[in-house]
Amino acid sequence: MKKDIQERIVNGKKHIIYPQEIKQSIVKEIEKGLLSVKEAQEKYGIAQAGTIQGWLKQYSEEYRTKYMRVIYTDAQRRTIIREVESGHLSILVACEKYRVTQETIKDWLKVYSCLSNNDSIMQENTINNTSKMPVITSKDKELEALKLKIAGLEAMIDIAEQEFKIDIRKKSGTKQ
């Protein structure tokens, strides 16, 4: 293993180039719990923990799914908010499922909500009272139909923006 490792001097500093196989074996040892990052540094003579963190990001699916930030598109955010608004998910469950904080979900509710009264949704979801079944009235049915229409129109706008590579939606704070 040692003979595959290359050393280079760059700007007066010694840099060690590890082959991909060694990097992957170190990552596997860390994933299995045989070594901590600190122990791997000492065992393999790696100067900085950031080097191993980079390898974990690159080679460890487990690390990527557990610890790395997820970036959602506007369409994905709207879908998540629709799930929360419809009552299919509480804010807490949405946080766990989509790996975001409660503050993020609440911010998305303010931006992407189809309903006008977001505070009541946030309060209902934080209380997480699922035992009450709402009575569906004609206004509720009309609201659901309008939400569906909005969702369809937003999807059309998303597709048009992707297809034609132009921004259709008005950005907040821009002058007309």
Side-chain angles (χ1 to χ4, degrees), residues 7-166:
E7 293 184 15
R8 293 187 184 155
I9 307 274
V10 178
N11 294 332
K13 294 183 181 179
K14 179 178 159 183
H15 290 269
I16 300 173
I17 314 296
Y18 291 91
Q20 185 174 354
E21 298 82 31
I22 294 176
K23 294 176 187 178
Q24 289 174 336
S25 70
I26 293 170
V27 167
K28 284 180 184 171
E29 286 183 58
I30 293 171
E31 281 180 331
K32 290 178 183 176
L34 302 174
L35 292 175
S36 68
V37 173
K38 185 86 172 155
E39 292 168 339
Q41 274 183 268
E42 292 169 3
K43 179 178 177 180
Y44 293 100
I46 299 168
Q48 297 182 356
T51 301
I52 297 175
Q53 295 293 341
W55 296 346
L56 285 167
K57 288 177 185 177
Q58 189 174 7
Y59 299 112
S60 173
E61 184 66 33
E62 178 184 347
Y63 181 86
R64 284 193 298 270
T65 56
K66 278 188 178 179
Y67 302 109
M68 288 184 67
R69 183 176 152 201
V70 180
I71 299 173
Y72 292 104
T73 65
D74 286 344
Q76 291 170 321
R77 292 174 184 179
R78 280 189 211 91
T79 303
I80 294 167
I81 293 307
R82 274 189 231 108
E83 288 183 67
V84 171
E85 286 179 338
S86 66
H88 293 300
L89 292 178
S90 69
I91 290 178
L92 293 175
V93 172
C95 291
E96 291 173 16
K97 181 176 178 181
Y98 295 106
R99 294 180 20 224
V100 294
T101 64
Q102 287 186 26
E103 281 303 309
T104 300
I105 295 286
K106 289 176 183 178
D107 289 343
W108 290 353
L109 271 168
K110 292 174 188 170
V111 175
Y112 300 108
S113 178
C114 295
L115 302 177
S116 60
N117 192 359
N118 293 332
D119 293 335
S120 65
I121 293 170
M122 287 187 238
Q123 289 171 353
E124 287 174 19
N125 278 317
T126 52
I127 293 171
N128 204 8
N129 188 359
T130 56
S131 62
K132 294 181 183 178
M133 290 299 293
V135 178
I136 298 176
T137 63
S138 63
K139 291 287 185 187
D140 289 336
K141 289 180 184 178
E142 184 180 344
L143 179 63
E144 287 299 318
L146 289 173
K147 279 193 218 177
L148 186 59
K149 182 178 179 181
I150 290 170
L153 292 172
E154 287 175 346
M156 287 174 47
I157 290 171
D158 289 338
I159 292 168
E161 285 180 335
Q162 289 172 355
E163 289 285 320
F164 300 113
K165 294 180 180 26
I166 58 170

